[in-house]
């Protein structure tokens, strides 16, 4: 049942723990989403799965095959579409696919047929014979995806495949992924778009700072939060201190739990309220007693962002802004050169 | 590497694809090929004119300076091409294209190296033939059939030797800027410190010593001999300060250098590629 098993996986880069003791199981034919902010370790994990870098610790098996010991066999099983697309500018799309097919030893007779099939599936007829250097972002993604699919891999690994794409390209990719999944392909996809994971994934792992925070079916994760998601403001933009005071008040009320201050939304207070009749009245009374008014009170369906917020105390967006300042991308790309 | 899965047809397929890619690049950006032919021809004209009155008696076994220079320029062209062979690999590393090759189930990653060898060898043959043809038109003669054999055998050895070093550098150095800088620094001095432009008898003794250990010299001299009418592998090709070397000696030395460089770089390439 567990087609892919990742056990106690760890990877360090000098002083950064990119992955810490990761445990993940993925079943055959599922679409598995990897959700996390910038610098969470998504690419590191996917590169390990693609045999591009080796883990410091832990074990990965795909279909019972050890990923470190049997690299060649693993490479035949997987198709990898990297986060950074790198095509040969001078080759045409068709030449690139032809080249890729030869690297995977696809026989001549099947090669043309497969390439033609993918050209149609990804709607590339109009530009496939142009040089890759002239492609737009969406075209590059599509040709890169086609290259990853040529050898009909059992597992398709995609690292943020729709970042910055036009809607047309995104929809083509989403539709194709759904189709491939229905045909039995196991797909692993990283993203920091909640709606993408929500729409596509059967199972999701949320990672942050190299650690797994939570995993499961997206709707299960959301329902696990229980209660009603409420966002409260006592002023349009509160100060952190004020919000802390309100948090203390809320803390004392029965039926309110998991209170988090959301700095991304003017220090509003997000919490879960039990479905009780007079909770709202109780809340109003307690706030009034401490001279606070309710500026706004909104209810919402739990989203994956709530799951994330609950687990880390930060919104996904916050976490991204935080990480963005900490990384030296140039240095990283130098260091990841082989 | 899992040897039991080694498949010769697969190796052929992947090597062919990798080589084909390099040739498509060459076809669409032929400037390197053209420059590689033009540069030595310009040199042949300029240096040929510059030294046209050089006393012929000092030039061993030839009847004009242009005649003497041809062999040096053929070798220099092949040498420059081979020295640059690490560049495409370096760019593939920098732009992440190499990752595409590394995630693929290549039968052997040596196909990446093999394709560069093939490409540079064929390229330098094309350039050499062009230079030989033009120097023939200029009246500097053309090797006989057996002589041609010597020319190409020597060039293959030199190209293998230099390409393997360049590919190695492409993996060791941090980026293409450094690689280009190194190529720039090494290229001309090695030419001047060889017998390409002048025989050892013209040189001060320190330079003579350097030139007679320079691998370029070991390639130049047999090719120069192959231009003379009486080709004989036991012909004295070089009067080195440490003694006379025959054609056979020169080619053997080149062969030893090539094999040892392949043996030395093999573990490094293996490490970088596996
Ligand atoms: N080659 C490298 N050298 C040093 N540190 C690295 C390197 N690659 C990644 N890191 C660090 O490891 C951590 C995880 O990086 P990773 O690229 O896996 O994140 P990610 O989740 O893919 O982020 P993003 O959403 O930006 O793609 C980060 O802290 C990053 O700075
Ligand atoms: Mg990433």
């Amino acid at each position: 049942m567990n087609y892919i098993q990742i056990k106690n996986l760890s990877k360090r880069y000098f002083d950064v723990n990119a992955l810490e003791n990761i445990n993940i199981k993925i079943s055959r034919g599922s679409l598995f989403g990897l959700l996390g902010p910038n610098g969470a370790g998504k690419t590191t994990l996917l590169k390990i799965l693609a045999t591009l870098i080796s883990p410091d610790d832990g074990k990965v098996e795909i279909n019972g095959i050890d990923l470190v010991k049997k690299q060649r066999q693993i490479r035949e099983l997987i198709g990898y579409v990297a986060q950074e697309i790198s095509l040969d500018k001078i080759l045409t799309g068709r030449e690139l696919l032809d080249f890729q097919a030869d690297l995977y030893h696809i026989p001549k007779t099947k090669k043309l047929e497969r390439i033609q099939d993918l050209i149609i599936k990804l709607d590339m007829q109009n530009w496939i014979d142009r040089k890759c250097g002239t492609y737009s972002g969406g075209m590059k993604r599509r040709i890169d995806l086609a290259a990853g699919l040529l050898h009909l891999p059992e597992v398709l690994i995609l690292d943020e495949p729709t970042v910055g794409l036009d809607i047309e390209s995104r929809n083509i990719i989403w539709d194709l992924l759904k189709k491939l999944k229905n045909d039995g392909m196991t797909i692993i996809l990283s993203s920091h778009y909640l709606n993408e994971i929500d729409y596509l994934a059967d199972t999701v792992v949320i990672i942050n700072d190299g650690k797994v925070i939570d995993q499961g079916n997206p709707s299960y994760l959301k329902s696990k939060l229980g209660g009603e998601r409420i966002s409260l403001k006592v002023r349009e933009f509160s100060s952190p201190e004020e919000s802390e005071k309100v948090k203390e008040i809320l803390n004392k009320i029965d039926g309110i739990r998991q209170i988090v201050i959301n700095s991304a939304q003017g220090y509003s207070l997000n919490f879960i309220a039990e479905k009780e009749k007079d909770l709202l009245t109780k809340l109003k009374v307690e706030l009034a007693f401490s001279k606070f008014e309710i500026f706004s009170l909104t209810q919402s369906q739990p989203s994956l962002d709530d799951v994330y917020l609950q687990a880390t105390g930060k919104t996904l967006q916050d976490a991204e802004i935080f990480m963005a300042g900490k990384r030296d991308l140039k240095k990283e790309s130098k260091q990841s050169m082989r | 590497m899992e040897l039991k899965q080694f498949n010769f047809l697969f190796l052929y397929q992947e090597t062919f694809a990798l080589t084909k890619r390099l040739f498509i690049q060459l076809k669409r950006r032929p400037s390197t090929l053209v420059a590689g032919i033009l540069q030595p021809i310009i040199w042949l004209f300029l240096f040929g004119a510059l030294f046209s009155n050089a006393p012929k008696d000092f030039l061993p076994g030839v009847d004009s300076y242009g005649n003497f220079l041809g062999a040096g320029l053929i070798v220099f062209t092949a040498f420059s091409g081979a020295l640059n062979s690490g560049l495409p690999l370096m760019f593939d590393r920098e732009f992440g294209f190499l990752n595409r090759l590394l995630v693929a189930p290549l039968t052997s990653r040596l196909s990446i190296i093999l394709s560069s060898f093939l490409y540079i060898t064929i390229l330098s043959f094309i350039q050499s033939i062009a230079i030989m043809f033009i120097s023939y038109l200029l009246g500097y003669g053309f090797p006989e059939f057996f002589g041609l054999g010597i020319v190409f055998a020597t060039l293959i050895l030199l190209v293998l030797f230099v390409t393997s070093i360049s590919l190695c550098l492409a993996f060791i150095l941090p980026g293409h800027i450094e690689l280009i800088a190194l190529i720039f620094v090494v290229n001309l001095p090695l030419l001047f410190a060889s017998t390409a432009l002048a025989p050892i008898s013209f040189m001060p003794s320190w330079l003579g010593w350097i030139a007679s250990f320079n691998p370029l010299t070991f390639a130049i001299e047999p090719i120069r001999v192959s231009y003379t009418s009486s080709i004989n592998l036991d012909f004295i090709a070089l009067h080195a300060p440490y003694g006379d070397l025959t054609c056979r000696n020169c080619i053997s030395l080149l062969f030893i250098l090539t094999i040892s460089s392949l043996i030395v770089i093999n573990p490094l390439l293996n490490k970088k590629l596996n």
Side-chain angles (χ1 to χ4, degrees):
Chain A
M1 185 65 200
N2 287 320
Y3 180 60
I4 301 178
Q5 297 230 28
I6 302 174
K7 280 190 209 145
N8 304 327
L9 195 72
S10 296
K11 175 79 191 174
R12 280 186 74 83
Y13 294 109
F14 308 99
D15 53 338
V16 182
N17 267 328
L19 294 174
E20 258 183 277
N21 212 17
I22 300 281
N23 287 287
I24 293 173
K25 290 172 181 168
I26 300 173
S27 49
R28 186 173 220 141
S30 67
L31 204 152
F32 184 86
L34 198 60
L35 184 64
N38 271 311
K42 303 183 294 296
T43 299
T44 307
L45 178 57
L46 296 184
K47 276 190 175 166
I48 291 176
L49 291 179
T51 73
L52 272 178
I53 54 181
S54 44
D56 296 339
D57 236 318
K59 193 176 162 102
V60 182
E61 281 182 2
I62 300 183
N63 202 12
I65 303 167
D66 188 297
L67 181 118
V68 175
K69 290 184 194 139
K70 300 261 157 103
Q71 295 195 334
R72 271 271 311 283
Q73 261 171 286
I74 295 287
R75 287 183 192 125
E76 273 163 22
L77 285 184
I78 58 163
Y80 173 65
V81 182
Q83 182 170 7
E84 246 121 74
I85 314 167
S86 116
L87 308 171
D88 188 330
K89 276 193 228 165
I90 294 186
L91 298 186
T92 67
R94 196 187 295 278
E95 283 164 345
L96 182 89
L97 293 182
D98 191 76
F99 173 78
Q100 180 99 4
D102 283 333
L103 296 187
Y104 285 83
H105 314 122
I106 299 170
K108 273 219 164 56
T109 42
K110 289 198 186 143
K111 199 159 75 172
L112 293 181
E113 194 183 311
R114 296 248 182 100
I115 292 175
Q116 200 50 41
D117 182 47
L118 283 165
I119 290 175
I120 290 165
K121 275 189 181 143
L122 284 156
D123 197 14
M124 308 190 288
Q125 299 90 323
N126 291 334
W127 41 267
I128 191 72
D129 289 307
R130 268 166 47 191
K131 284 183 200 151
C132 294
T134 66
Y135 289 174
S136 72
M139 295 171 175
K140 283 184 191 160
R141 271 289 167 212
R142 274 140 82 179
I143 193 89
D144 202 20
L145 178 59
L149 285 169
L150 265 178
H151 63 294
L152 312 177
E154 284 188 21
V155 185
L156 180 64
I157 299 174
L158 303 143
D159 200 348
E160 305 199 15
T162 61
V163 172
L165 285 199
D166 56 289
I167 306 241
E168 188 207 342
S169 293
R170 195 199 66 182
N171 288 344
I172 289 177
I173 291 179
W174 280 7
D175 288 348
L176 180 62
L177 293 183
K178 285 220 150 172
K179 247 184 244 146
L180 290 170
K181 197 199 86 169
N182 288 338
D183 295 345
M185 192 177 280
T186 309
I187 300 174
I188 305 174
L189 164 137
S190 81
S191 179
H192 42 201
Y193 293 150
L194 297 156
N195 60 347
E196 177 164 38
I197 297 281
D198 232 351
Y199 177 69
L200 290 173
D202 308 313
T203 316
V204 56
V205 152
I206 300 179
I207 61 172
N208 188 37
D209 246 346
K211 289 182 278 282
V212 171
I213 294 175
D214 213 341
Q215 56 182 314
N217 178 288
S219 47
Y220 164 75
L221 286 183
K222 286 185 279 188
S223 70
K224 204 175 77 171
L225 292 171
E228 272 179 287
R229 318 292 310 162
I230 294 190
S231 173
L232 165 75
K233 285 184 176 183
V234 294
R235 195 187 301 281
E236 181 151 23
F237 298 103
S238 296
S239 66
E241 296 78 29
E242 188 174 49
S243 292
E244 281 298 335
K245 277 185 207 151
V246 178
K247 188 176 173 185
E248 271 170 40
I249 298 166
L250 295 179
N251 254 329
K252 284 184 249 160
I253 302 173
D254 274 350
I256 291 183
R257 59 192 168 87
Q258 299 185 342
I259 309 156
V260 179
I261 296 174
N262 185 352
S263 59
Q265 284 169 15
Y267 295 97
S268 67
L269 290 123
N270 293 12
F271 57 86
I272 301 172
E274 298 305 334
K275 291 188 174 132
E276 262 179 61
K277 277 198 301 234
D278 43 355
L279 191 65
L280 196 65
T281 339
K282 244 199 276 180
L283 177 68
K284 272 184 189 157
V285 171
E286 289 290 335
L287 284 175
F289 187 72
S290 305
K291 305 245 169 357
F292 283 116
E293 279 175 31
I294 294 179
F295 174 78
S296 73
L297 189 74
T298 46
Q299 277 186 20
S300 58
Q301 291 298 312
S303 70
L304 278 178
D305 208 8
D306 293 316
V307 176
Y308 187 82
L309 184 64
Q310 206 57 65
T312 64
K314 274 192 216 155
T315 62
L316 204 54
Q317 219 177 0
D318 265 348
E320 265 171 26
I321 293 166
F322 176 71
M323 265 321 281
K326 274 190 15 182
R327 297 175 73 180
D328 181 351
L329 291 176
K330 254 207 179 128
K331 194 170 133 205
E332 269 171 38
S333 86
K334 277 264 161 191
Q335 275 161 353
S336 61
M337 257 168 62
R338 291 275 294 246
Chain B
M1 206 152 299
E2 290 135 58
L3 270 179
K4 60 176 180 242
Q5 290 190 7
F6 191 86
N7 181 324
F8 202 77
L9 272 179
F10 284 178
L11 182 71
Y12 168 77
Q13 189 176 11
E14 62 204 34
T15 309
F16 186 81
L18 288 160
T19 315
K20 187 170 145 197
R21 172 175 169 237
L22 293 169
F23 275 106
I24 294 178
Q25 287 177 338
L26 181 71
K27 195 178 111 199
R28 305 220 169 121
R29 280 193 185 154
S31 52
T32 40
L33 176 69
V34 175
I37 294 174
L38 271 186
Q39 192 203 29
I41 288 169
I42 293 169
W43 285 43
L44 198 60
F45 268 111
L46 285 182
F47 275 84
L50 193 61
F51 294 110
S52 53
N53 295 330
K56 291 192 182 74
D57 306 345
F58 288 101
L59 296 170
V62 293
D63 49 12
S64 76
Y65 184 72
N67 201 328
F68 178 84
L69 189 61
L73 290 181
I74 290 170
V75 167
F76 179 61
T77 306
F79 170 69
S80 301
L83 203 56
N84 280 302
S85 67
L87 272 176
L89 182 61
M90 179 60 99
F91 284 123
D92 279 354
R93 263 182 83 205
E94 286 183 320
F95 290 117
F97 198 87
L98 185 64
N99 283 349
R100 191 179 287 285
L101 312 183
L102 296 182
V103 290
L106 298 180
T107 294
S108 164
R109 286 175 171 181
L110 280 182
S111 52
I112 300 173
I113 305 299
L114 211 57
S115 63
S116 295
F117 280 147
L118 270 174
Y119 169 72
I120 294 296
T121 306
I122 295 172
L123 184 63
S124 67
F125 276 17
I126 295 173
Q127 291 173 333
S128 303
I129 290 170
I131 298 166
M132 284 159 75
F133 191 67
I134 288 172
S135 72
Y136 168 74
L137 292 182
L138 292 174
Y140 299 139
F142 202 81
E144 287 175 13
F145 188 71
F146 183 55
L148 275 180
I150 294 183
V151 173
F152 290 127
T154 314
L155 286 181
I156 287 181
L157 287 177
L158 182 75
V159 162
L160 275 178
F161 174 55
V162 181
T163 303
S164 63
I165 293 172
S166 181
L167 292 177
C168 228
L169 290 172
F171 276 114
I172 295 171
L173 295 177
H176 72 274
I177 308 262
E178 290 79 1
L179 184 58
I180 289 174
L182 193 82
I183 291 171
F184 196 69
V185 166
V186 166
N187 203 4
L188 286 183
L190 266 174
L191 173 73
F192 289 119
S194 76
T195 58
L197 305 178
I200 284 186
S201 57
F202 278 25
M203 302 177 186
S205 79
W206 62 271
L207 189 57
W209 276 95
I210 295 177
S212 60
F213 283 107
N214 185 338
L216 290 190
T217 301
F218 300 147
I220 291 164
E221 293 306 329
I223 291 181
R224 195 162 278 151
V225 169
S226 74
Y227 262 89
T228 61
S229 47
S230 58
I231 302 141
N232 181 351
L233 279 178
D234 293 316
F235 196 88
I236 305 289
L238 181 71
H239 297 287
Y242 48 76
D244 289 347
L245 291 182
T246 62
C247 247
R248 194 193 303 280
N249 293 148
C250 285
I251 295 177
S252 306
L253 279 170
L254 206 55
F255 184 76
I256 292 167
L257 277 176
T258 306
I259 297 296
S260 10
S261 79
L262 288 177
I263 290 172
V264 170
I265 67 155
N266 192 40
L268 185 126
L269 288 178
N270 263 331
K271 190 178 144 231
K272 286 285 178 180
L273 284 174
N274 289 307

